[in-house]
Amino acid sequence: MLPSRLPDPVPPARHELSASYISRLATLHGLDISTLWTQTTTREPSGGMRRIIVPERLAALTGRTVHELAGALPELRDPAPPWEMFRHQPQTGCHRCDARHPGGKVTRLLPHHRYVCTRHRTWIGPPDTNRPATDLTILPAVVQAQRLHLRLVRQHGWAATYDAVLTGFLLCSHIWNQHPGLGNRGPVWHTWESRTHVLIPPPDELKEFSASRLFAAIYPETVRVAALIASPFWRDLASGTPDQKKRFYREISTRVSYPYTDNPDLGDAIAHWAHTDAWRPPTGPHHRFTPGRVTAVLPAVHQGQLNRHQRSALWFKRGRKAGKALLWHNHIKPVLVRPWTPNYERLEGAISFSQRIDPEIQATTARQRASQPKPTPRAQDQHTSPMQ
Amino acid sequence: MAMKIPTSSRTTAPAEVTDTPPDSPLTTKEGWRRFVEHEPLPPSLLTGPDLDSLSRTDRVRYQDQRRDYHADLPLVNTPTIRKVINTSRLLVQLNRHQVSARRGVIISGASGTGKTTALSQLGRAHELAVRKRHPRDRHRLPVLYATVPPAATPKMLATEFARFFGLDLPGRANITDVVNAVCATAAHVGVDLVLIDEIHNLNIQTRTGAEASDQLKYFAERLPATFVYAGIDVQAQGLFAGTRGRQIAGRFHVIPAAPFSHATEQDRASWAALVGTLESTLRLHDHQPGTLAAMSEYLYHRTGGMIGSLSQLVRGGAVLAIEDGSERLSQDLLEAVPIDYAAEQAEEATAPARTRQRRRQAA
């Protein structure tokens, strides 16, 4: 039997998880969350303990059509959207957008290209430990970068843009992580450090630290670099002859003010990417979201994650080494540990590998490239699915 | 040229409301919304030539529309209804900022005196006024209407409130769960007037009745709303007796719903005015205005001054007049309309013995 319609079926938020929406409806009407969850879901066809939402029941409960609900709740779409386009981890969005949605915390499943709420100028992602979105009013460059990011998605498709932006984060993190003694720190370090000074003011690092905010500090330059990495033309140059490579290095130096020096002993992530990855197809995410949950109560942040966050804050307070915090963050792991990366026991190995360009790696890469029947530097069929 | 018959003469309600299943009672939010949005519109009377030019199908539809309209005649605004609405709307305003000890109204009287009608009309007037004030808030439910079930326990009472909202609570939910759900929902949707009908079903001389009465009081404390009760002879039922009763008596204003009187000249004039207003709503082809007003005294004796009986008599007469084609109300036609036993008793007690005289004359 279909449930009765609730007196005030507040609308769902965009990209909201069904469990979050049902939880808000239950809170508003003083109902038991588990009971409402059971009424609107059914056990998955395989007979497991996970429960799948029944769109007709939710429609009867809210008085909204299945079509309307599916517009906001990705889990209700039929056919299901390509889940690779979304982050596998649900998160909170812009707190000012959420203020319009009563009934408790709004948990959303955001697509990979959503980092900034351009309407309210707030930094949203990547997912952080229960920290509300950060105001970007005095950092307009970050907001503008989100617009450029969306333009990249329209031009090159979500898959190429996803790989390009994460690779951009990786390269910028390596640049930021350069040792001060190397003497090649340019104006871009000052830009990033001044942004970090605004986002995480010095005396309050323990309270204000957030790896997500560090990503915000390098986001504008990341997107500028990502425009090169996503472009088939620049990928061809990066993986081409030495002269073509030089042209690519010159361009990327212009975009991030990176004083590129062709010294293999120092190690260089950009050169590594040009030699090892540029001629291969873009890398996809490691994990994907799976619809269906056992309960509607969304779990709180795990204590282990909170402990890790606290340790990171402590390390950051000691030396304000932001580049290191970024390189160790899971968000860029898909481009740090690619399918063809050697299988290292610890992440340090993968980080070290991602900036090596010694002759051994160059020889290995040349062998692999020669064994490929036909090099395909540009990703095919990236526009097959519409963007969300 | 054939006249065009309007497809529906009844209502201006949106499709959402007309789609509501007809069995949704007034004690659910769907049924209540349907009641509030329903407004009978009088069908236009066709002239003789237009009526003759109708096809058989159109004529049947035209007659159906008028029968429907007369079966659901617009309500006459009686003095009791006016007093209930004015008093309760004032109390709603006075209670708006009260954190406790809010004042309420009890409508008390014999059956057939229009208590439920007054209660529902109060709710309708209040809801329409609130909607006018908040035209864009579609999910606001300012009025909660519930009836006290027979042999009510506190949980049954709370479940009635939850049923109005359509809250589907599991059977294992205890009374605290139900009350919390009701209060959270009522606060969220902006309930500020709670109407409780059939309050005489509460017998506070019994333990469950006393507990149910306490539950009502608890709701009155939890909900920021004005409570209006209606029931048969509430004073005689002992609602104001004892400690609980004294507390109720200290917070509630009683409005008696009595049958119309025919004792003084003023009473007779107000009854005649009521009949005249009712007559003005009729849509019959051959009915002469003033016929019903001339039968004012007969109608009083037939109905005992009960507004419910009068409404049934006139509506029934109008439907019969359309069916037999006479298209006008007469005393003979009204005699054929069955009315309730109480009114028949009143007729026997009060009506002058004119019937036999007239029969003798006729013979």
Side-chain angles (χ1 to χ4, degrees):
Chain A
M1 199 179 93
L2 293 176
S4 312
R5 194 185 143 190
L6 290 174
D8 191 5
V10 292
R14 187 164 165 74
H15 290 141
E16 188 173 9
L17 276 191
S18 304
S20 162
Y21 183 43
I22 289 170
S23 160
R24 290 198 297 120
L25 286 174
T27 309
L28 285 176
H29 294 93
L31 297 172
D32 181 41
I33 294 173
S34 305
T35 307
L36 207 59
W37 171 250
T38 315
Q39 281 175 357
T40 48
T41 54
T42 184
R43 281 178 71 173
E44 61 181 352
S46 65
M49 292 306 290
R50 298 172 78 92
R51 298 187 72 87
I52 307 292
I53 201 93
V54 181
E56 288 75 23
R57 291 190 199 165
L58 196 59
L61 195 72
T62 57
R64 298 169 189 279
T65 62
V66 174
H67 184 76
E68 283 172 344
L69 290 172
L73 308 172
E75 289 168 277
L76 263 57
R77 289 179 199 164
D78 185 20
W83 293 115
E84 292 83 7
M85 280 174 52
F86 293 86
R87 292 178 185 154
H88 70 281
Q89 197 179 357
Q91 63 179 104
T92 53
C94 168
H95 60 284
R96 291 183 63 189
C97 291
D98 290 353
R100 294 176 59 235
H101 300 285
K105 195 170 82 169
V106 181
T107 308
R108 304 174 194 245
L109 190 69
L110 292 176
H112 291 301
H113 54 265
R114 279 289 165 198
Y115 285 91
V116 175
C117 170
T118 49
R119 185 179 188 184
H120 296 117
R121 297 170 168 265
T122 53
W123 178 256
I124 297 172
D128 209 347
T129 51
N130 278 352
R131 193 165 289 281
T134 310
D135 185 28
L136 295 174
T137 311
I138 57 171
L139 298 173
V142 183
V143 183
Q144 190 56 35
Q146 172 70 82
R147 298 197 178 97
L148 179 58
H149 190 168
L150 294 175
R151 207 178 305 150
L152 287 182
V153 174
R154 283 196 294 276
Q155 282 174 352
H156 304 295
W158 73 268
T161 310
Y162 169 77
D163 174 80
V165 170
L166 285 199
T167 307
F169 273 131
L170 175 69
L171 301 183
C172 290
S173 304
H174 270 301
I175 293 169
W176 204 357
N177 196 34
Q178 291 266 349
H179 194 270
L182 293 175
N184 53 1
R185 292 168 74 96
V188 73
W189 278 270
H190 302 300
T191 308
W192 290 342
E193 275 162 16
S194 59
R195 281 188 199 139
T196 313
H197 192 87
V198 171
L199 295 168
I200 309 172
D204 302 325
E205 283 96 346
L206 287 182
K207 201 172 70 179
E208 297 290 328
F209 174 77
S210 152
S212 184
R213 289 182 188 176
L214 293 179
F215 280 108
I218 58 171
Y219 184 57
E221 287 72 27
T222 295
V223 178
R224 293 179 71 193
V225 170
L228 289 185
I229 295 170
S231 157
F233 171 75
W234 288 108
R235 283 178 89 97
D236 283 344
L237 290 187
S239 59
T241 62
D243 284 345
Q244 288 175 324
K245 274 191 168 63
K246 274 186 185 169
R247 192 175 163 203
F248 172 75
Y249 294 147
R250 207 164 43 243
E251 181 63 25
I252 206 164
S253 299
T254 313
R255 299 220 174 188
V256 285
S257 308
Y258 176 51
Y260 178 75
T261 52
D262 192 7
N263 181 1
D265 298 335
L266 294 176
D268 190 335
I270 295 174
H272 175 90
W273 178 82
H275 280 100
T276 315
D277 305 322
W279 52 277
R280 300 188 206 247
T283 313
H286 281 180
H287 305 285
R288 48 174 274 173
F289 175 79
T290 311
R293 321 179 44 84
V294 176
T295 64
V297 181
L298 295 162
V301 182
H302 193 267
Q303 188 58 40
Q305 193 180 348
L306 289 175
N307 292 343
R308 277 199 301 278
H309 176 81
Q310 205 58 34
R311 278 199 300 276
S312 301
L314 209 60
W315 279 110
F316 182 76
K317 186 177 174 61
R318 285 181 186 172
R320 289 186 74 88
K321 291 180 179 171
K324 196 169 184 180
L326 292 177
L327 283 172
W328 257 257
H329 199 275
N330 273 337
H331 187 60
I332 57 172
K333 205 169 175 183
V335 292
L336 193 62
V337 184
R338 297 185 192 259
W340 48 87
T341 306
N343 194 9
Y344 290 101
E345 283 287 322
R346 294 173 65 84
L347 199 59
E348 285 89 333
I351 292 170
S352 166
F353 177 78
S354 67
Q355 56 181 343
R356 277 171 58 195
I357 49 167
D358 51 45
E360 185 192 338
I361 288 181
Q362 289 189 28
T364 311
T365 306
R367 264 201 314 278
Q368 289 173 349
R369 204 169 171 182
S371 67
Q372 290 284 328
K374 187 180 177 184
T376 53
R378 61 182 69 185
Q380 300 295 325
D381 298 327
Q382 290 178 358
H383 285 97
T384 50
S385 52
M387 289 317 302
Q388 300 299 305
Chain B
M1 193 180 84
M3 284 297 295
K4 190 179 176 185
I5 304 298
T7 51
S8 171
S9 65
R10 295 198 62 192
T11 179
T12 54
E16 178 191 346
V17 176
T18 50
D19 287 345
T20 312
D23 63 341
S24 57
L26 213 55
T27 50
T28 60
K29 62 181 185 309
E30 290 83 10
W32 177 259
R33 175 157 290 189
R34 193 160 174 258
F35 164 72
V36 170
E37 290 176 353
H38 172 67
E39 189 168 356
L41 295 176
S44 52
L45 274 181
L46 299 182
T47 56
D50 289 339
L51 194 60
D52 294 340
S53 67
L54 288 181
S55 68
R56 182 183 166 79
T57 317
D58 284 346
R59 180 184 287 268
V60 169
R61 197 193 308 160
Y62 175 65
Q63 302 289 55
D64 268 349
Q65 284 176 3
R66 285 198 303 135
R67 268 201 298 269
D68 273 354
Y69 166 73
H70 284 104
D72 185 26
L73 271 187
L75 196 87
V76 177
N77 205 0
T78 64
T80 306
I81 293 177
R82 274 201 299 275
K83 187 169 184 190
V84 167
I85 291 179
N86 291 341
T87 310
S88 306
R89 296 269 297 152
L90 175 66
L91 286 182
V92 168
Q93 288 182 35
L94 293 178
N95 286 338
R96 200 165 282 166
H97 300 296
Q98 291 285 314
V99 290
S100 179
R102 298 180 192 87
R103 306 287 161 166
V105 173
I106 293 178
I107 308 168
S108 172
S111 61
T113 49
K115 298 181 299 300
T116 302
T117 310
L119 197 68
S120 50
Q121 288 303 314
L122 161 66
R124 186 170 186 267
H126 181 69
E127 180 148 346
L128 291 176
V130 170
R131 281 192 200 178
K132 207 170 177 180
R133 210 163 58 232
H134 305 278
R136 301 181 68 180
D137 196 351
R138 284 183 62 246
H139 295 295
R140 184 177 276 267
L141 290 176
V143 177
L144 189 158
Y145 180 88
T147 56
V148 178
T153 62
K155 189 173 177 184
M156 284 165 70
L157 203 58
T159 311
E160 281 295 314
F161 279 49
R163 188 172 295 133
F164 179 83
F165 289 128
L167 300 178
D168 207 355
L169 292 155
R172 65 176 183 280
N174 59 26
I175 185 163
T176 316
D177 297 336
V178 184
V179 170
N180 284 343
V182 166
C183 292
T185 308
H188 189 64
V189 298
V191 170
D192 57 0
L193 182 65
V194 178
L195 309 176
I196 311 286
D197 206 354
E198 316 289 349
I199 193 73
H200 52 267
N201 283 343
L202 278 185
N203 182 3
I204 63 171
Q205 311 303 326
T206 65
R207 183 177 168 180
T208 50
E211 284 172 355
S213 162
D214 289 345
Q215 185 62 46
L216 264 186
K217 185 173 172 298
Y218 183 64
F219 269 128
E221 292 295 330
R222 288 275 304 264
L223 298 177
T226 302
F227 278 62
V228 180
Y229 302 144
I232 296 173
D233 293 336
V234 173
Q235 302 95 319
Q237 297 286 329
L239 193 70
F240 299 135
T243 314
R244 288 188 177 91
R246 277 199 296 278
Q247 194 176 29
I248 294 172
R251 290 194 186 167
F252 282 84
H253 175 71
V254 177
I255 297 178
F260 274 76
S261 167
H262 216 247
T264 64
E265 192 62 37
Q266 193 181 355
D267 292 342
R268 282 194 285 274
S270 86
W271 175 256
L274 176 70
V275 173
T277 314
L278 205 55
E279 185 177 20
S280 69
T281 61
L282 295 175
R283 287 295 179 272
L284 298 173
H285 282 285
D286 298 331
H287 188 77
Q288 293 297 320
T291 313
L292 211 58
M295 290 191 284
S296 162
E297 194 173 346
Y298 160 75
L299 290 172
Y300 180 79
H301 292 307
R302 184 82 197 281
T303 61
M306 302 280 192
I307 182 75
S309 306
L310 176 71
S311 168
Q312 188 188 349
L313 197 61
V314 174
R315 288 187 295 127
V319 171
L320 288 180
I322 295 171
E323 282 185 354
D324 68 6
S326 61
E327 293 289 340
R328 61 192 174 88
L329 289 184
S330 63
Q331 192 167 332
D332 289 338
L333 197 67
L334 293 176
E335 289 284 353
V337 179
I339 54 168
D340 52 284
Y341 179 72
E344 280 177 8
Q345 294 295 307
E347 182 186 12
E348 281 181 11
T350 60
R354 289 189 309 166
T355 319
R356 194 177 293 169
Q357 284 179 359
R358 201 178 56 182
R359 277 185 189 160
R360 219 173 268 159
Q361 284 167 4

